[in-house]
Amino acid sequence: MAAIDLSSPARSSPAPLSPRRGSLHLLLRRPRRPTLRCSLDAAPKQAQAQGPPAAVAAEEAPTARKECYGVFCTTYDLRADEKTKSWKSLVNVAVSGAAGMISNHLLFKLASGEVFGPDQPIALKLLGSERSIQALEGVAMELEDSLYPLLREVSIGIDPYVVFEDAEWALLIGAKPRGPGMERSALLDINGQIFAEQGKALNSVASRNVKVIVVGNPCNTNALICLKNAPNIPAKNFHALTRLDENRAKCQLALKAGVFYDKVSNMTIWGNHSTTQVPDFLNAKINGRPVKEVIKDTKWLEDEFTKTVQKRGGVLIQKWGRSSAASTAVSIVDAIRSLVNPTPEGDWFSTGVYTTGNPYGIAEDIVFSMPCRSKGDGDYELVKDVAMDDFLWERIKKSEAELLAEKRCVAHLTGEGNAFCDLPGDTMLPGEM
Amino acid sequence: MAAIDLSSPARSSPAPLSPRRGSLHLLLRRPRRPTLRCSLDAAPKQAQAQGPPAAVAAEEAPTARKECYGVFCTTYDLRADEKTKSWKSLVNVAVSGAAGMISNHLLFKLASGEVFGPDQPIALKLLGSERSIQALEGVAMELEDSLYPLLREVSIGIDPYVVFEDAEWALLIGAKPRGPGMERSALLDINGQIFAEQGKALNSVASRNVKVIVVGNPCNTNALICLKNAPNIPAKNFHALTRLDENRAKCQLALKAGVFYDKVSNMTIWGNHSTTQVPDFLNAKINGRPVKEVIKDTKWLEDEFTKTVQKRGGVLIQKWGRSSAASTAVSIVDAIRSLVNPTPEGDWFSTGVYTTGNPYGIAEDIVFSMPCRSKGDGDYELVKDVAMDDFLWERIKKSEAELLAEKRCVAHLTGEGNAFCDLPGDTMLPGEM
């Protein structure tokens, strides 16, 4: 079967037509030429059904950029399909680190329709590495076997300039983990280079209004590097994921107050996705009332609450033996859904976004987690009417100082001269070292 | 925090009240007494919110069977919550092997509402082992951090007599993998004992109409053992999962015909979840037409198709480095949804069920995958009007013979005398050895 036999002649033949909406395809690594493509422009006739579609395609046109196999070679016309008549246009979602554990949860959520809705067909563009390309094929096989009707295209590749083509969402999960003895500045540099390259690729080939969510750590500064390398994409479109921190903070407040977690709202994470992050109990609410009216234990709020949120990942590793993957994927889903659905009246969500023009007095030109609302159009606005007190402001300034130091440390990657690393103490979150 | 500090005094105190609908709790392993329980009958008052709820509970009553921590100690009254007024009653879903990879995908799908629907609150009862209890706590933490509004209870335990209490669904995923050099009869015996015990536990404490889906292999015979040990539960309620085979068969037919997989229907897997399984291309349809009219390559259908479906798991292991987990979880979701939603007109699905009374002439008193339809009430009926030819029947008889041999081999576990193992050649599926 072409789907599983990588050595089949059909697969190594060049294939015919440029990619277009309505086809499923895989971008496969090949020696010296990482991505070839093919697609069939019409469903094979009955007679053709006796041989793999790719074989037919190969005879027809030699100018392909895409190599296909399996059901991902199939083309179809959504308009000819009765049940899909009410569907929206296909949305292109690129995911990096697609062979990793977080993605392994996330991709199936994206394909199932729970993120973008039951009338939103989806194309997944999976970015892997030389090392992970076989695993990525395994992921594609499992996606095939899942028969998700909304999943209309899957492509795989190792070149972001190909994989990010026409991406309307880019979920940047892949990052190098910190090796033993590695300085934090070295980690910033290594991952910064990845995100600089991916920013350039997005700038070249992605949709002009692509929304980018950076998950790979250190995610705030990676997001800054990415947006600086993508000057043709609005800086406002880049996010650093702090939603898992927000979710964990809500859970801990619920736990302390003895209520179910759906009673906690208006939870802001301010600042960096690091131990300087600021879960904001001044503005958060429980059952619509200020947290401080419900939880009288100020010492707990000021001392324990933030530490507990920060340490959650480390405790999980102790118990589970590895970093959170499922709940991280859930928080990415939450982050996307918060942008494509209107924010409930009176509530908000947290996301790390570009600070230029912010109303709080936070330094400009960094990526900082702040409270946001959305009309559900993929865009957002900062919430203006939040309270501030000395305790909150002091902590926000500390996280701001850290992000400014990180920025100086990656100046060579943002086009702002020579790097100068004067990072404060190590503030990576447990499990993200 | 009580949620994460297992040594906190609050957690080791006995806790107060018997479990009831509307509370979240964890059944934790303790020396000599694996499961204690607690719950709070009312939300803590403001003053109590200064200490962990469990501490308050511990002072009140010493006769608890349940130990709680974290947000799972919280109680609430669904009826008092405006948004839940249209919700159905809580459904109790027990999952064994809950710390494994398949469950790690499945549990979050169950919690999200995509399986039972957006108005169905859910209680998850997770069965682990001594070895996996810490990992199960990690799973519970990630479920907490995911803030799924429909997930109203989570309990953990290692005693099926406690975990299966009032279960309305039991998803039996956990099974021992085959060790190096282990005879297949030994594997049948080891896993058979697990499923005999779990059958007894279901018989004692589960809902009288619990639906049981056996995933742990060899799943058909495990399901038979389970139902034989649960005489007070209708044998019809026990299923062996062949849905992943069905999904893979659909995908391979689509691939061969050059159509998208949603065009394939009426796909039956007959028989054992092993290499003797029979994907039925005589009755399956593509775009509403018999497969043999669309795919003229009879040799492929007769020789290659079945092998490709069987080998899929093995190929995946080669690429991905481990067994399918995500797509297995998806197929469990599909299996449940096929029972709680009406089957589309003219279509059917496959599931391994008890053969007694079947209209096809298949031996009675085994668990055999057959075509079924459901009204969406959790129950099913066998499809009667399927075609049969010599080629199909001959293969069905071979799978039947295998299951009868497996049954003789576990007679000591089904209460039918002494086991006699005359198993034919090794037919375990790749990846399930």
Side-chain angles (χ1 to χ4, degrees), chain B residues 343-364:
Chain B
T343 310
E345 181 70 27
D347 203 359
W348 62 65
F349 57 90
S350 304
T351 176
V353 289
Y354 193 55
T355 48
T356 296
N358 80 85
Y360 316 112
I362 294 162
E364 307 227 317

mmCIF file with all atom_site columns, all heavy atoms in Angstrom, chain B residues 343-364:
data_model
loop_
_atom_site.group_PDB
_atom_site.id
_atom_site.type_symbol
_atom_site.label_atom_id
_atom_site.label_alt_id
_atom_site.label_comp_id
_atom_site.label_asym_id
_atom_site.label_entity_id
_atom_site.label_seq_id
_atom_site.pdbx_PDB_ins_code
_atom_site.Cartn_x
_atom_site.Cartn_y
_atom_site.Cartn_z
_atom_site.occupancy
_atom_site.B_iso_or_equiv
_atom_site.pdbx_formal_charge
_atom_site.auth_seq_id
_atom_site.auth_comp_id
_atom_site.auth_asym_id
_atom_site.auth_atom_id
_atom_site.pdbx_PDB_model_num
ATOM 1   N N   . THR B 1 343 ? -27.837 5.299   15.034 1.00 0.00 ? 343 THR B N   1
ATOM 2   C CA  . THR B 1 343 ? -27.030 4.978   13.859 1.00 0.00 ? 343 THR B CA  1
ATOM 3   C C   . THR B 1 343 ? -27.672 5.606   12.621 1.00 0.00 ? 343 THR B C   1
ATOM 4   O O   . THR B 1 343 ? -28.881 5.500   12.442 1.00 0.00 ? 343 THR B O   1
ATOM 5   C CB  . THR B 1 343 ? -26.956 3.448   13.681 1.00 0.00 ? 343 THR B CB  1
ATOM 6   O OG1 . THR B 1 343 ? -26.571 2.864   14.922 1.00 0.00 ? 343 THR B OG1 1
ATOM 7   C CG2 . THR B 1 343 ? -25.959 3.068   12.595 1.00 0.00 ? 343 THR B CG2 1
ATOM 8   N N   . PRO B 1 344 ? -26.873 6.267   11.768 1.00 0.00 ? 344 PRO B N   1
ATOM 9   C CA  . PRO B 1 344 ? -27.449 6.853   10.555 1.00 0.00 ? 344 PRO B CA  1
ATOM 10  C C   . PRO B 1 344 ? -28.189 5.807   9.721  1.00 0.00 ? 344 PRO B C   1
ATOM 11  O O   . PRO B 1 344 ? -27.759 4.649   9.642  1.00 0.00 ? 344 PRO B O   1
ATOM 12  C CB  . PRO B 1 344 ? -26.218 7.380   9.802  1.00 0.00 ? 344 PRO B CB  1
ATOM 13  C CG  . PRO B 1 344 ? -25.189 7.602   10.859 1.00 0.00 ? 344 PRO B CG  1
ATOM 14  C CD  . PRO B 1 344 ? -25.437 6.548   11.894 1.00 0.00 ? 344 PRO B CD  1
ATOM 15  N N   . GLU B 1 345 ? -29.269 6.225   9.125  1.00 0.00 ? 345 GLU B N   1
ATOM 16  C CA  . GLU B 1 345 ? -30.099 5.370   8.280  1.00 0.00 ? 345 GLU B CA  1
ATOM 17  C C   . GLU B 1 345 ? -29.238 4.548   7.310  1.00 0.00 ? 345 GLU B C   1
ATOM 18  O O   . GLU B 1 345 ? -28.402 5.102   6.596  1.00 0.00 ? 345 GLU B O   1
ATOM 19  C CB  . GLU B 1 345 ? -31.064 6.278   7.483  1.00 0.00 ? 345 GLU B CB  1
ATOM 20  C CG  . GLU B 1 345 ? -32.019 5.566   6.560  1.00 0.00 ? 345 GLU B CG  1
ATOM 21  C CD  . GLU B 1 345 ? -33.090 4.795   7.327  1.00 0.00 ? 345 GLU B CD  1
ATOM 22  O OE1 . GLU B 1 345 ? -33.408 5.194   8.466  1.00 0.00 ? 345 GLU B OE1 1
ATOM 23  O OE2 . GLU B 1 345 ? -33.587 3.787   6.778  1.00 0.00 ? 345 GLU B OE2 1
ATOM 24  N N   . GLY B 1 346 ? -29.448 3.245   7.305  1.00 0.00 ? 346 GLY B N   1
ATOM 25  C CA  . GLY B 1 346 ? -28.792 2.387   6.321  1.00 0.00 ? 346 GLY B CA  1
ATOM 26  C C   . GLY B 1 346 ? -27.364 1.981   6.660  1.00 0.00 ? 346 GLY B C   1
ATOM 27  O O   . GLY B 1 346 ? -26.773 1.151   5.978  1.00 0.00 ? 346 GLY B O   1
ATOM 28  N N   . ASP B 1 347 ? -26.784 2.570   7.682  1.00 0.00 ? 347 ASP B N   1
ATOM 29  C CA  . ASP B 1 347 ? -25.390 2.270   8.026  1.00 0.00 ? 347 ASP B CA  1
ATOM 30  C C   . ASP B 1 347 ? -25.345 1.328   9.235  1.00 0.00 ? 347 ASP B C   1
ATOM 31  O O   . ASP B 1 347 ? -26.383 0.945   9.790  1.00 0.00 ? 347 ASP B O   1
ATOM 32  C CB  . ASP B 1 347 ? -24.638 3.572   8.314  1.00 0.00 ? 347 ASP B CB  1
ATOM 33  C CG  . ASP B 1 347 ? -23.122 3.425   8.137  1.00 0.00 ? 347 ASP B CG  1
ATOM 34  O OD1 . ASP B 1 347 ? -22.650 2.327   7.814  1.00 0.00 ? 347 ASP B OD1 1
ATOM 35  O OD2 . ASP B 1 347 ? -22.417 4.432   8.341  1.00 0.00 ? 347 ASP B OD2 1
ATOM 36  N N   . TRP B 1 348 ? -24.174 0.940   9.623  1.00 0.00 ? 348 TRP B N   1
ATOM 37  C CA  . TRP B 1 348 ? -23.984 0.178   10.859 1.00 0.00 ? 348 TRP B CA  1
ATOM 38  C C   . TRP B 1 348 ? -22.561 0.363   11.368 1.00 0.00 ? 348 TRP B C   1
ATOM 39  O O   . TRP B 1 348 ? -21.765 1.083   10.738 1.00 0.00 ? 348 TRP B O   1
ATOM 40  C CB  . TRP B 1 348 ? -24.324 -1.300  10.641 1.00 0.00 ? 348 TRP B CB  1
ATOM 41  C CG  . TRP B 1 348 ? -23.505 -2.072  9.652  1.00 0.00 ? 348 TRP B CG  1
ATOM 42  C CD1 . TRP B 1 348 ? -22.170 -2.375  9.725  1.00 0.00 ? 348 TRP B CD1 1
ATOM 43  C CD2 . TRP B 1 348 ? -23.962 -2.670  8.433  1.00 0.00 ? 348 TRP B CD2 1
ATOM 44  N NE1 . TRP B 1 348 ? -21.784 -3.120  8.641  1.00 0.00 ? 348 TRP B NE1 1
ATOM 45  C CE2 . TRP B 1 348 ? -22.860 -3.328  7.824  1.00 0.00 ? 348 TRP B CE2 1
ATOM 46  C CE3 . TRP B 1 348 ? -25.204 -2.735  7.782  1.00 0.00 ? 348 TRP B CE3 1
ATOM 47  C CZ2 . TRP B 1 348 ? -22.953 -4.018  6.612  1.00 0.00 ? 348 TRP B CZ2 1
ATOM 48  C CZ3 . TRP B 1 348 ? -25.289 -3.439  6.578  1.00 0.00 ? 348 TRP B CZ3 1
ATOM 49  C CH2 . TRP B 1 348 ? -24.175 -4.065  5.992  1.00 0.00 ? 348 TRP B CH2 1
ATOM 50  N N   . PHE B 1 349 ? -22.240 -0.245  12.496 1.00 0.00 ? 349 PHE B N   1
ATOM 51  C CA  . PHE B 1 349 ? -20.885 -0.198  13.042 1.00 0.00 ? 349 PHE B CA  1
ATOM 52  C C   . PHE B 1 349 ? -20.535 -1.581  13.574 1.00 0.00 ? 349 PHE B C   1
ATOM 53  O O   . PHE B 1 349 ? -21.421 -2.436  13.735 1.00 0.00 ? 349 PHE B O   1
ATOM 54  C CB  . PHE B 1 349 ? -20.781 0.855   14.154 1.00 0.00 ? 349 PHE B CB  1
ATOM 55  C CG  . PHE B 1 349 ? -21.754 0.644   15.290 1.00 0.00 ? 349 PHE B CG  1
ATOM 56  C CD1 . PHE B 1 349 ? -21.424 -0.121  16.401 1.00 0.00 ? 349 PHE B CD1 1
ATOM 57  C CD2 . PHE B 1 349 ? -23.024 1.213   15.244 1.00 0.00 ? 349 PHE B CD2 1
ATOM 58  C CE1 . PHE B 1 349 ? -22.327 -0.330  17.438 1.00 0.00 ? 349 PHE B CE1 1
ATOM 59  C CE2 . PHE B 1 349 ? -23.940 1.000   16.274 1.00 0.00 ? 349 PHE B CE2 1
ATOM 60  C CZ  . PHE B 1 349 ? -23.591 0.245   17.362 1.00 0.00 ? 349 PHE B CZ  1
ATOM 61  N N   . SER B 1 350 ? -19.263 -1.793  13.848 1.00 0.00 ? 350 SER B N   1
ATOM 62  C CA  . SER B 1 350 ? -18.806 -3.105  14.318 1.00 0.00 ? 350 SER B CA  1
ATOM 63  C C   . SER B 1 350 ? -18.455 -3.051  15.792 1.00 0.00 ? 350 SER B C   1
ATOM 64  O O   . SER B 1 350 ? -17.840 -2.087  16.253 1.00 0.00 ? 350 SER B O   1
ATOM 65  C CB  . SER B 1 350 ? -17.533 -3.526  13.576 1.00 0.00 ? 350 SER B CB  1
ATOM 66  O OG  . SER B 1 350 ? -17.742 -3.532  12.202 1.00 0.00 ? 350 SER B OG  1
ATOM 67  N N   . THR B 1 351 ? -18.811 -4.080  16.493 1.00 0.00 ? 351 THR B N   1
ATOM 68  C CA  . THR B 1 351 ? -18.371 -4.212  17.878 1.00 0.00 ? 351 THR B CA  1
ATOM 69  C C   . THR B 1 351 ? -18.408 -5.690  18.246 1.00 0.00 ? 351 THR B C   1
ATOM 70  O O   . THR B 1 351 ? -19.248 -6.441  17.734 1.00 0.00 ? 351 THR B O   1
ATOM 71  C CB  . THR B 1 351 ? -19.229 -3.352  18.836 1.00 0.00 ? 351 THR B CB  1
ATOM 72  O OG1 . THR B 1 351 ? -18.821 -3.594  20.186 1.00 0.00 ? 351 THR B OG1 1
ATOM 73  C CG2 . THR B 1 351 ? -20.708 -3.645  18.700 1.00 0.00 ? 351 THR B CG2 1
ATOM 74  N N   . GLY B 1 352 ? -17.475 -6.101  19.084 1.00 0.00 ? 352 GLY B N   1
ATOM 75  C CA  . GLY B 1 352 ? -17.427 -7.495  19.521 1.00 0.00 ? 352 GLY B CA  1
ATOM 76  C C   . GLY B 1 352 ? -18.453 -7.713  20.619 1.00 0.00 ? 352 GLY B C   1
ATOM 77  O O   . GLY B 1 352 ? -18.336 -7.113  21.678 1.00 0.00 ? 352 GLY B O   1
ATOM 78  N N   . VAL B 1 353 ? -19.452 -8.560  20.351 1.00 0.00 ? 353 VAL B N   1
ATOM 79  C CA  . VAL B 1 353 ? -20.526 -8.766  21.334 1.00 0.00 ? 353 VAL B CA  1
ATOM 80  C C   . VAL B 1 353 ? -20.825 -10.252 21.490 1.00 0.00 ? 353 VAL B C   1
ATOM 81  O O   . VAL B 1 353 ? -20.382 -11.091 20.710 1.00 0.00 ? 353 VAL B O   1
ATOM 82  C CB  . VAL B 1 353 ? -21.805 -7.993  20.929 1.00 0.00 ? 353 VAL B CB  1
ATOM 83  C CG1 . VAL B 1 353 ? -21.597 -6.492  21.093 1.00 0.00 ? 353 VAL B CG1 1
ATOM 84  C CG2 . VAL B 1 353 ? -22.249 -8.340  19.519 1.00 0.00 ? 353 VAL B CG2 1
ATOM 85  N N   . TYR B 1 354 ? -21.613 -10.528 22.497 1.00 0.00 ? 354 TYR B N   1
ATOM 86  C CA  . TYR B 1 354 ? -21.958 -11.912 22.861 1.00 0.00 ? 354 TYR B CA  1
ATOM 87  C C   . TYR B 1 354 ? -22.792 -12.534 21.749 1.00 0.00 ? 354 TYR B C   1
ATOM 88  O O   . TYR B 1 354 ? -23.755 -11.936 21.281 1.00 0.00 ? 354 TYR B O   1
ATOM 89  C CB  . TYR B 1 354 ? -22.727 -11.869 24.181 1.00 0.00 ? 354 TYR B CB  1
ATOM 90  C CG  . TYR B 1 354 ? -22.902 -13.202 24.861 1.00 0.00 ? 354 TYR B CG  1
ATOM 91  C CD1 . TYR B 1 354 ? -21.806 -14.003 25.159 1.00 0.00 ? 354 TYR B CD1 1
ATOM 92  C CD2 . TYR B 1 354 ? -24.168 -13.643 25.226 1.00 0.00 ? 354 TYR B CD2 1
ATOM 93  C CE1 . TYR B 1 354 ? -21.970 -15.216 25.810 1.00 0.00 ? 354 TYR B CE1 1
ATOM 94  C CE2 . TYR B 1 354 ? -24.346 -14.854 25.888 1.00 0.00 ? 354 TYR B CE2 1
ATOM 95  C CZ  . TYR B 1 354 ? -23.240 -15.639 26.166 1.00 0.00 ? 354 TYR B CZ  1
ATOM 96  O OH  . TYR B 1 354 ? -23.418 -16.835 26.813 1.00 0.00 ? 354 TYR B OH  1
ATOM 97  N N   . THR B 1 355 ? -22.425 -13.749 21.338 1.00 0.00 ? 355 THR B N   1
ATOM 98  C CA  . THR B 1 355 ? -23.018 -14.315 20.122 1.00 0.00 ? 355 THR B CA  1
ATOM 99  C C   . THR B 1 355 ? -24.341 -15.032 20.335 1.00 0.00 ? 355 THR B C   1
ATOM 100 O O   . THR B 1 355 ? -25.047 -15.306 19.351 1.00 0.00 ? 355 THR B O   1
ATOM 101 C CB  . THR B 1 355 ? -22.052 -15.340 19.488 1.00 0.00 ? 355 THR B CB  1
ATOM 102 O OG1 . THR B 1 355 ? -21.593 -16.223 20.502 1.00 0.00 ? 355 THR B OG1 1
ATOM 103 C CG2 . THR B 1 355 ? -20.891 -14.646 18.800 1.00 0.00 ? 355 THR B CG2 1
ATOM 104 N N   . THR B 1 356 ? -24.654 -15.377 21.571 1.00 0.00 ? 356 THR B N   1
ATOM 105 C CA  . THR B 1 356 ? -25.858 -16.186 21.783 1.00 0.00 ? 356 THR B CA  1
ATOM 106 C C   . THR B 1 356 ? -27.088 -15.502 21.185 1.00 0.00 ? 356 THR B C   1
ATOM 107 O O   . THR B 1 356 ? -27.373 -14.350 21.498 1.00 0.00 ? 356 THR B O   1
ATOM 108 C CB  . THR B 1 356 ? -26.037 -16.474 23.290 1.00 0.00 ? 356 THR B CB  1
ATOM 109 O OG1 . THR B 1 356 ? -24.932 -17.264 23.722 1.00 0.00 ? 356 THR B OG1 1
ATOM 110 C CG2 . THR B 1 356 ? -27.327 -17.229 23.559 1.00 0.00 ? 356 THR B CG2 1
ATOM 111 N N   . GLY B 1 357 ? -27.770 -16.231 20.284 1.00 0.00 ? 357 GLY B N   1
ATOM 112 C CA  . GLY B 1 357 ? -28.948 -15.692 19.609 1.00 0.00 ? 357 GLY B CA  1
ATOM 113 C C   . GLY B 1 357 ? -28.645 -14.985 18.306 1.00 0.00 ? 357 GLY B C   1
ATOM 114 O O   . GLY B 1 357 ? -29.554 -14.416 17.693 1.00 0.00 ? 357 GLY B O   1
ATOM 115 N N   . ASN B 1 358 ? -27.394 -15.029 17.845 1.00 0.00 ? 358 ASN B N   1
ATOM 116 C CA  . ASN B 1 358 ? -27.075 -14.315 16.601 1.00 0.00 ? 358 ASN B CA  1
ATOM 117 C C   . ASN B 1 358 ? -27.716 -15.009 15.401 1.00 0.00 ? 358 ASN B C   1
ATOM 118 O O   . ASN B 1 358 ? -27.888 -16.236 15.395 1.00 0.00 ? 358 ASN B O   1
ATOM 119 C CB  . ASN B 1 358 ? -25.558 -14.182 16.431 1.00 0.00 ? 358 ASN B CB  1
ATOM 120 C CG  . ASN B 1 358 ? -24.909 -15.439 15.894 1.00 0.00 ? 358 ASN B CG  1
ATOM 121 O OD1 . ASN B 1 358 ? -24.853 -15.670 14.689 1.00 0.00 ? 358 ASN B OD1 1
ATOM 122 N ND2 . ASN B 1 358 ? -24.427 -16.290 16.808 1.00 0.00 ? 358 ASN B ND2 1
ATOM 123 N N   . PRO B 1 359 ? -28.079 -14.250 14.353 1.00 0.00 ? 359 PRO B N   1
ATOM 124 C CA  . PRO B 1 359 ? -28.805 -14.813 13.217 1.00 0.00 ? 359 PRO B CA  1
ATOM 125 C C   . PRO B 1 359 ? -27.904 -15.373 12.122 1.00 0.00 ? 359 PRO B C   1
ATOM 126 O O   . PRO B 1 359 ? -28.408 -15.779 11.072 1.00 0.00 ? 359 PRO B O   1
ATOM 127 C CB  . PRO B 1 359 ? -29.582 -13.601 12.685 1.00 0.00 ? 359 PRO B CB  1
ATOM 128 C CG  . PRO B 1 359 ? -28.696 -12.436 12.979 1.00 0.00 ? 359 PRO B CG  1
ATOM 129 C CD  . PRO B 1 359 ? -27.958 -12.788 14.250 1.00 0.00 ? 359 PRO B CD  1
ATOM 130 N N   . TYR B 1 360 ? -26.582 -15.381 12.346 1.00 0.00 ? 360 TYR B N   1
ATOM 131 C CA  . TYR B 1 360 ? -25.684 -15.721 11.240 1.00 0.00 ? 360 TYR B CA  1
ATOM 132 C C   . TYR B 1 360 ? -25.236 -17.178 11.284 1.00 0.00 ? 360 TYR B C   1
ATOM 133 O O   . TYR B 1 360 ? -24.598 -17.656 10.356 1.00 0.00 ? 360 TYR B O   1
ATOM 134 C CB  . TYR B 1 360 ? -24.442 -14.825 11.273 1.00 0.00 ? 360 TYR B CB  1
ATOM 135 C CG  . TYR B 1 360 ? -24.751 -13.367 11.527 1.00 0.00 ? 360 TYR B CG  1
ATOM 136 C CD1 . TYR B 1 360 ? -24.370 -12.753 12.708 1.00 0.00 ? 360 TYR B CD1 1
ATOM 137 C CD2 . TYR B 1 360 ? -25.448 -12.617 10.571 1.00 0.00 ? 360 TYR B CD2 1
ATOM 138 C CE1 . TYR B 1 360 ? -24.672 -11.424 12.945 1.00 0.00 ? 360 TYR B CE1 1
ATOM 139 C CE2 . TYR B 1 360 ? -25.753 -11.280 10.807 1.00 0.00 ? 360 TYR B CE2 1
ATOM 140 C CZ  . TYR B 1 360 ? -25.352 -10.694 12.003 1.00 0.00 ? 360 TYR B CZ  1
ATOM 141 O OH  . TYR B 1 360 ? -25.648 -9.385  12.247 1.00 0.00 ? 360 TYR B OH  1
ATOM 142 N N   . GLY B 1 361 ? -25.500 -17.860 12.375 1.00 0.00 ? 361 GLY B N   1
ATOM 143 C CA  . GLY B 1 361 ? -24.996 -19.220 12.523 1.00 0.00 ? 361 GLY B CA  1
ATOM 144 C C   . GLY B 1 361 ? -23.609 -19.287 13.132 1.00 0.00 ? 361 GLY B C   1
ATOM 145 O O   . GLY B 1 361 ? -22.939 -20.322 13.084 1.00 0.00 ? 361 GLY B O   1
ATOM 146 N N   . ILE B 1 362 ? -23.176 -18.178 13.712 1.00 0.00 ? 362 ILE B N   1
ATOM 147 C CA  . ILE B 1 362 ? -21.887 -18.181 14.418 1.00 0.00 ? 362 ILE B CA  1
ATOM 148 C C   . ILE B 1 362 ? -22.095 -18.879 15.764 1.00 0.00 ? 362 ILE B C   1
ATOM 149 O O   . ILE B 1 362 ? -23.151 -18.749 16.387 1.00 0.00 ? 362 ILE B O   1
ATOM 150 C CB  . ILE B 1 362 ? -21.387 -16.731 14.606 1.00 0.00 ? 362 ILE B CB  1
ATOM 151 C CG1 . ILE B 1 362 ? -21.060 -16.137 13.237 1.00 0.00 ? 362 ILE B CG1 1
ATOM 152 C CG2 . ILE B 1 362 ? -20.191 -16.670 15.543 1.00 0.00 ? 362 ILE B CG2 1
ATOM 153 C CD1 . ILE B 1 362 ? -20.965 -14.641 13.213 1.00 0.00 ? 362 ILE B CD1 1
ATOM 154 N N   . ALA B 1 363 ? -21.077 -19.626 16.185 1.00 0.00 ? 363 ALA B N   1
ATOM 155 C CA  . ALA B 1 363 ? -21.173 -20.376 17.442 1.00 0.00 ? 363 ALA B CA  1
ATOM 156 C C   . ALA B 1 363 ? -21.662 -19.480 18.576 1.00 0.00 ? 363 ALA B C   1
ATOM 157 O O   . ALA B 1 363 ? -21.252 -18.325 18.689 1.00 0.00 ? 363 ALA B O   1
ATOM 158 C CB  . ALA B 1 363 ? -19.804 -20.964 17.787 1.00 0.00 ? 363 ALA B CB  1
ATOM 159 N N   . GLU B 1 364 ? -22.507 -20.018 19.427 1.00 0.00 ? 364 GLU B N   1
ATOM 160 C CA  . GLU B 1 364 ? -23.011 -19.243 20.557 1.00 0.00 ? 364 GLU B CA  1
ATOM 161 C C   . GLU B 1 364 ? -21.966 -19.185 21.663 1.00 0.00 ? 364 GLU B C   1
ATOM 162 O O   . GLU B 1 364 ? -20.968 -19.908 21.646 1.00 0.00 ? 364 GLU B O   1
ATOM 163 C CB  . GLU B 1 364 ? -24.312 -19.876 21.066 1.00 0.00 ? 364 GLU B CB  1
ATOM 164 C CG  . GLU B 1 364 ? -25.336 -20.072 19.939 1.00 0.00 ? 364 GLU B CG  1
ATOM 165 C CD  . GLU B 1 364 ? -26.731 -19.592 20.292 1.00 0.00 ? 364 GLU B CD  1
ATOM 166 O OE1 . GLU B 1 364 ? -27.176 -19.857 21.409 1.00 0.00 ? 364 GLU B OE1 1
ATOM 167 O OE2 . GLU B 1 364 ? -27.355 -18.915 19.439 1.00 0.00 ? 364 GLU B OE2 1
#
